[in-house]
Amino acid sequence: TVSFHDDSDEDLLNV
Amino acid sequence: DKATNPSNRQEDWEYIIGFCDQINKELEGPQIAVRLLAHKIQSPQEWEAVQALTVLEACMKNCGRRFHNEVGKFRFLNELIKVVSPKYLGDRISEKVKTKVIELLYSWTVALPEESKIKDAYYMLKRQGIVMF
């Protein structure tokens, strides 16, 4: 689950 | 669902503002909201997607930095990229929706320069020839 302090992210997609 | 209902005859600002208010009230409002909005923006029904983009724009204006931070993550920006890219959903999405997505991305590069990932996403789309002008 995502929490308020979760700053995780994924990589930018390439098109 | 009410704010983006395809059977709405016009944009329903009571529900749109209600959605913004709910985001502002809840600790995890922005995280939950962007997941819901991404799903609606990718709808094959143009009117549902258009309303979702109106809701997104309203949230950007009314829900402050917590919401901006969430929109400014590649996790959400990638969902918008999928809408405009022919490699993902682009061929199945109307020009009206794709144009609006690109206009919103551009407007945020100007209005929110501190959200640097929005610029990364927008200029990537320009480099790849998906944003032409």
Side-chain angles (χ1 to χ4, degrees), chain B residues 38-57:
Chain B
H39 182 68
K40 298 290 188 183
I41 290 165
Q42 293 173 349
S43 169
Q45 298 188 73
E46 180 186 89
W47 177 225
E48 187 170 47
V50 165
Q51 290 183 97
L53 290 167
T54 301
V55 178
L56 173 60
E57 199 172 9

Side-chain angles (χ1 to χ4, degrees), chain B residues 52-72:
Chain B
L53 290 167
T54 301
V55 178
L56 173 60
E57 199 172 9
C59 295
M60 288 298 270
K61 289 177 178 158
N62 293 299
C63 298
R65 215 181 66 190
R66 286 198 311 141
F67 191 81
H68 299 166
N69 288 343
E70 220 46 49
V71 166

Side-chain angles (χ1 to χ4, degrees), chain B residues 1-130:
Chain B
D1 285 340
K2 287 173 177 167
T4 61
N5 191 335
S7 67
N8 289 342
R9 296 178 69 181
Q10 55 194 30
E11 280 153 345
D12 192 324
W13 283 93
E14 190 180 330
Y15 289 128
I16 295 171
I17 295 302
F19 188 80
C20 296
D21 289 345
Q22 198 65 27
I23 291 170
N24 290 332
K25 271 186 225 160
E26 300 205 13
L27 259 187
E28 296 186 2
Q31 288 92 331
I32 296 165
V34 297
R35 284 205 299 271
L36 295 171
L37 286 170
H39 182 68
K40 298 290 188 183
I41 290 165
Q42 293 173 349
S43 169
Q45 298 188 73
E46 180 186 89
W47 177 225
E48 187 170 47
V50 165
Q51 290 183 97
L53 290 167
T54 301
V55 178
L56 173 60
E57 199 172 9
C59 295
M60 288 298 270
K61 289 177 178 158
N62 293 299
C63 298
R65 215 181 66 190
R66 286 198 311 141
F67 191 81
H68 299 166
N69 288 343
E70 220 46 49
V71 166
K73 286 182 182 176
F74 290 141
R75 182 180 290 111
F76 178 74
L77 295 167
N78 284 343
E79 298 304 317
L80 295 184
I81 288 167
K82 288 177 190 172
V83 169
V84 298
S85 167
K87 187 171 156 188
Y88 297 91
L89 304 166
D91 290 339
R92 283 171 274 163
I93 302 281
S94 74
E95 287 303 318
K96 184 176 179 179
V97 170
K98 288 190 278 190
T99 300
K100 184 72 186 168
V101 166
I102 290 166
E103 284 173 356
L104 285 175
L105 284 171
Y106 174 72
S107 73
W108 301 331
T109 67
V110 177
L112 302 166
E114 68 278 17
E115 295 294 344
S116 60
K117 291 179 181 179
I118 296 176
K119 269 187 230 153
D120 293 344
Y122 180 76
Y123 287 107
M124 184 275 291
L125 291 172
K126 276 197 100 157
R127 275 197 309 277
Q128 300 294 332
I130 289 173

